[in-house]
Amino acid sequence: MKRLLTLALLTLAIAGCDKAEQTAAVSGQCAKDTDCKGERICESGQCINPQPQPALLAKPASAPLAPSIAYEPLPVGDEGAGPFTVQGMELGTALNYQSRAGVMNVMEAVVADAESTGYVAIEKAYTFGPNRYVLVVSTGEGGNACPASTYVFSFDTASEHVDGKAEVDGCSEMVESMAEGNKLTIKKDGAATVVYNGQVK
């Protein structure tokens, strides 16, 4: 008897569910997404088309922003500029920097033979941020054939070394420079040399 009663209740429950689904289908209402055909979804008892996803906006690639740091000129005197000092040697002229390990002649990292420089004159000097310097120096290593060989180099005080150098084109003794934000242009009578962000490349 219990089995018969259980079977009857189960049959009524199934029939009731089918009837509810049939009623929902007839009236156009739904209870869940699977009650709707195709891609349609059930929302507030109604089958509707889903909202299209907004297309992802593709941003064009842009150049990296220049740092907010700019070149700052340093006063240049006969004895040096900033932490760099000019000192005559028996052969050539040294451009010294007081490092943590002692005095270093940075010209050894700039020219092939630091003892053949003749004279060393700081033409221009700039800071770029708290620990970067860019110096423009002329030497007499070319003799009469080239009265002034001019170099631009960058110096990192954090690592205490010359991290880039270039020879400025031309033999003229006149050196011009122009700093604009993160761009430094050095020119003699040849092609200009441009240094960005305080590092000679």
Side-chain angles (χ1 to χ4, degrees):
M1 182 76 159
K2 284 184 180 181
R3 284 187 185 173
L4 188 56
L5 183 59
T6 305
L7 188 57
L9 287 174
L10 187 58
T11 305
L12 285 173
I14 292 173
C17 286
D18 284 344
K19 193 161 195 141
E21 286 179 9
Q22 288 171 359
T23 305
V26 169
S27 66
Q29 294 185 354
C30 59
K32 53 190 181 288
D33 289 345
T34 55
D35 294 340
C36 302
K37 293 182 180 179
E39 297 291 319
R40 296 168 55 122
I41 60 171
C42 183
E43 193 170 292
S44 302
Q46 298 292 323
C47 290
I48 61 167
N49 289 322
Q51 295 291 329
Q53 294 293 325
L56 295 175
L57 299 175
K59 292 186 179 179
S62 61
L65 296 175
S68 59
I69 306 168
Y71 285 100
E72 296 290 333
L74 286 173
V76 176
D78 292 338
E79 295 180 5
F84 301 93
T85 57
V86 177
Q87 179 185 5
M89 302 186 304
E90 189 175 322
L91 296 171
T93 305
L95 182 59
N96 293 328
Y97 174 79
Q98 180 65 51
S99 71
R100 292 182 288 274
V103 176
M104 61 186 286
N105 179 4
V106 296
M107 292 307 293
E108 292 175 358
V110 176
V111 297
D113 184 5
E115 293 182 348
S116 300
T117 55
Y119 70 89
V120 172
I122 301 174
E123 303 285 354
K124 311 285 180 182
Y126 296 88
T127 60
F128 190 82
N131 60 354
R132 298 199 66 73
Y133 289 89
V134 175
L135 273 72
V136 180
V137 296
S138 290
T139 72
E141 65 186 310
N144 290 334
C146 186
S149 298
T150 304
Y151 299 88
V152 58
F153 68 89
S154 50
F155 189 86
D156 183 355
T157 58
S159 58
E160 296 185 326
H161 79 287
V162 173
D163 61 3
K165 63 180 179 177
E167 188 167 359
V168 180
D169 188 28
C171 284
S172 169
E173 293 178 328
M174 296 295 294
V175 180
E176 297 175 5
S177 68
M178 183 172 66
E180 297 176 278
N182 69 325
K183 177 183 178 183
L184 176 64
T185 306
I186 302 106
K187 182 151 178 34
K188 290 177 63 169
D189 53 343
T193 302
V194 180
V195 180
Y196 289 99
N197 300 327
Q199 185 171 14
V200 179
K201 303 252 183 198

